Amino acid sequence: PSVLSRPGGGEPLSQDERIEAVNRAIEFTASPPALTAKFAEVSESLATEIIFAREFLAGLQLARGQMKYLCEEAIRAGVQGHRGELFAREVARAVAALNGHDRVESEDLQMGVKLCIAPRGTQISAPPEDDLMQAPPPPPPPQQNAEEEQQDQEENEPEEPEDEQEDVAPPVPEEFMFDVEGVALDPEVMKFANKAKSGRSGSRGMIFSEERGRYIKPLIPKGRVRKLAVDATMRTAAPYQRKRREKAQNDAAASGDSSKLKGVYIEQSDVRAKKMARKAGSLVIFVVDASGSMALNRMNAAKGAAINLLSEAYESRDKICLISFQGDFAQVLLPPTRSIAMAKNRLERMPCGGGSPLAHALNQAAQAGLNAQKSGDVGEVLVVCISDGRANVPLSTSVGEPTDEPVDKASIKEEVLTTAKMLGVLPNFKLLMLDTENKFVSTGLAKEIAAAAQGKYHYIPKASEAQVANVASQAIADLKR
C-alpha cells in the first residue's frame, strides 16, 4: 500500500486502531530497538516508496485547467494571498507521486484543496443541516436497451492509437468543493477547516514591542534603541573587524595616538534592536441594560458572570470591565481590572431604571477598549452586550448636546446601528449580543445590532449568571484561537 493509504487517512482512529497504537507505544517504551527491528521491513518499504516518489515528482506538472480549478476554489473559500494555491499545487504533485500516478488526478487536486486551501479560507461555512440530512436521490431505472446499444457501438468503434489516448485533457474534479458563497459542498472539507481553527495561532494573543517581553528576534532599529540585541549586533559587525582594526591601527600610527584602539569596533549600521513578545490578555466589557423592569436581574447576572470570569482570569491575563446604561447616559461602573475585590466593591451598588441610551453605551465600550489596548497589556476586546436592543435615548442627549426637535425611534435605531458598525471595524474588537427580550418571539433589534457589528448573537430570555459566564467564556476562547 502507498504512504497515503495507511489506516486513518485523516479520519479518527477506530477502537482497534487505538488499541494497536497504545500497544505499540508500550512496546517502544519497553524496548525501542526491538520495536524498530519488528517494523524494519515496513519502514524500508516506505522509504523506498518515498525515494521513487521523489523521482516521479520532477515530471509531474499541473495543466492550466487544473491550476484554474485550484484558483477558483481559493477564491470561493475567501483565501487571502496566493500561498493557498501554490501550496495546494505542491501537495497535489506530492500526493500523485506518492500514489504512483503518472499525472496529477482529480483526487490529488482535492487533497490539495483540503490541506492547503480549506484551512486558509476566511468565509467557509458549513452546509445547512437540511442539505446534509437529505437522502440522496434514487438511482435512475435501468435502461437495458440503451446499454446494449452503447455496448454494440463500443465494440464496433476502432481502437484509438496510443498517441491519441495520451493527449486526453488532464482530469479536473467535476464539482467544486465550495460554492460561490463559500459554503462547503463537501462535508469532509469542514474537518480540515475546523482543524486549522482549533489550534492557537502563533501571533494572535501576543503583543510585540521593543520594551517588554521575551526576546524573539533582532530587527533594524527605527529611531532610538530601547533594547540592544548584543548577539545580533556582534554577528553583524564580525565580518568587518579585520578591516576596521587595520584602519584604526593605521590612523593611530599616523597620529601617534593609540588611545582610540579597541578590541571590537561597532558602527551605527551594525546596531540591532530586540523584538520582544509577550502574552496579551483579553478585555471583556459587559455592557448591561439597566433600564426597565428586568434591569435588576440582568445586572445581577452580569455581576455574577464578571466575578466568575475574574476568578479564572489570572493565568490568561484577562481583564473585566462593566458599563451600565440607564437614564440619559451610560457610565463605567467597573474600569478594566483583574482584581476580584475591586469588582465586588464597585458592583455592590448599581443604579437601575429610566431610559435606554444604547448608542452611548457602545461608544463608552469602544473608548474603554481602545484605552486598554494603548496600555499594551490588552490585545483582544470582547464587548458582551446584555440587552434587548431597544434604545430610546439619542446620543446627543447622552453627551449633553441640545436638540431643537424630538428624535424619532427610527433615527435612534439608525444611530445605534451606525455605532455598532463603527465598533465592528475597530481592530481586535468583537461584539457578543445577548438578547434578553422577554417575549416568545424577539423583535430582532438585538440581532440587527450583532449583524451590523459583524458579531455573534445569542437569545437568552432568562439570562442567569452561569449562562452569561459560559457564553462569554466560549467567546473568549474563540478570540484566542
Side-chain angles (χ1 to χ4, degrees), residues 5 239 250 266 279 305 397 423:
S5 62
N250 294 335
I266 304 294
K279 289 185 178 180
T397 303
L423 181 69

Side-chain angles (χ1 to χ4, degrees), residues 53-69:
R54 289 175 178 172
E55 296 295 328
F56 293 148
L57 189 62
L60 290 174
Q61 299 297 332
L62 270 68
R64 180 178 178 82
Q66 293 176 322
M67 281 303 305
K68 184 178 179 181
Y69 166 78

Side-chain angles (χ1 to χ4, degrees), residues 172-186:
V172 176
E174 296 180 358
E175 298 180 354
F176 288 101
M177 308 183 81
F178 305 101
D179 69 359
V180 292
E181 296 181 354
V183 178
L185 301 177
D186 186 355

